[in-house]
Amino acid sequence: MRLSRATLSRVAPAARPLAEPRLTGVVHLGIGAFHRAHQAVYTERAMAATGDDRWGICGASQRSTDVADRLRPQDCLYGVRAGDEVRVVGSVRDVLAPGDDLAARLAAPETGVVTLTITEKAYRRDPRPGAIGRLVAGLRARAAADAGPLTVVSCDNLPGNGATLAGLVTELCEPPLLAWVEENVRFPASMVDRIVPATTQADLDDMAARLGVTDLGAVVTEPFTQWVIEDSFAGDRPAWDKAGALLVGDVRPYERMKLRLLNGSHSAIAYLSGAAHVSEAVGDPAFAGFLRRLMDDDLSPTLDGLDGFDLAGYKESLLARFANPGLRHRVAQIAVDGSQKLPQRLLDPARDRLAGGHEPRWIALAVAGWMRHVTTSRELDDPLADRLRGDGTASAAATVNRLLAIEEIFGADLREHRVFRELVTDCLERLNADGVAAALRALDADRP
């Protein structure tokens, strides 16, 4: 029997939704597993905390009907398992498939907020036919309908994601629409943090056993969750702060911390560990030691503006989260689209260390691991795959020279930086000759 409002009585009362929205005040672009385990949960908690039921969510899938096919027959209900806690979430009211009228939803007067999880590459490729182009079409319809102000919140892992999104949107606006957007729309930055692996059939089976009904929209996540949002809204919003979100004047310190420590470490795991799951990689004491050194020696010194924040405790919590065997977070999932992730996760902190006269050895090893990955993988999932692939026979120096020349990834500065080039070349030579474990030992022995 499938989860739905008709079968919700079969679910234990403690696991039923906290709120039942009356209106649809939020439109979300990219309604994947992360959104359903993160922003949708915060939004439901906000409604439950305040009794304000105007903030139901209309999710819009960008590329596939899969989520709509899973959630629509369930009245958009789905379960979230966070550790041992299981609860059905009811904040999603509708899911649009590609081709449905998103512009009409964005133009509806009851819509006050748009959130996005469309992945990094959606901001770096031609935005016109994708989610950002659809967003602009919706803003055009909203301006024509005189439907009032709108807040658009990017929840993607990009530095300055609000300003980046605002820039792309305004580039696509004709002058009358641009004037309306500048007066009526705000693009606050945000930082999101929760590990949400892709749902497996075993997860669906487990959820059915726990709920007593079949749930094809279920997601599995960790107990930890964090959302930091720039306090800059065009109008009314869900009371996310009542649900645990932090509203701040400047998101950037938290954004850098998460992008570099969590996401940077994830990328290092993806391209160096050889493990199938994150928890297996961190279960190796030598590899866990490498992650500590990466965070302590190369990444933490690039962070500032976190006065009063327990950075050491945060790093310890990351290692504990990575080691959680219940998540089954696939390393292959993290490795996807590396060319779009590497700059903000590892290359920007490398620049900071180099500018201070330091050698980012551990970052260089992770970058070398990525270079080995993209030149040897049989199935490379990356928008720049055709330019990244190699024949596997080139020398380390030739591979480094070729890949550093891709300016979209490394810019002109790192391509020309002698120290960075030599560090990455040396690390790639060690990886190719002796493997990861030997390279880690050698770098550790050379540590000042």
Side-chain angles (χ1 to χ4, degrees), residues 53-54 58 98 182 187 252 306 319 349 390 414:
D53 59 4
R54 296 173 295 155
C58 172
E182 289 176 344
F187 298 89
R252 289 174 295 179
L306 292 166
L319 291 171
L414 291 179

Side-chain angles (χ1 to χ4, degrees), residues 4-24:
S4 68
R5 297 212 174 270
T7 62
L8 192 56
S9 60
R10 294 177 173 268
V11 175
R16 295 175 192 169
L18 298 177
E20 184 172 344
R22 175 177 53 90
L23 298 174
T24 301

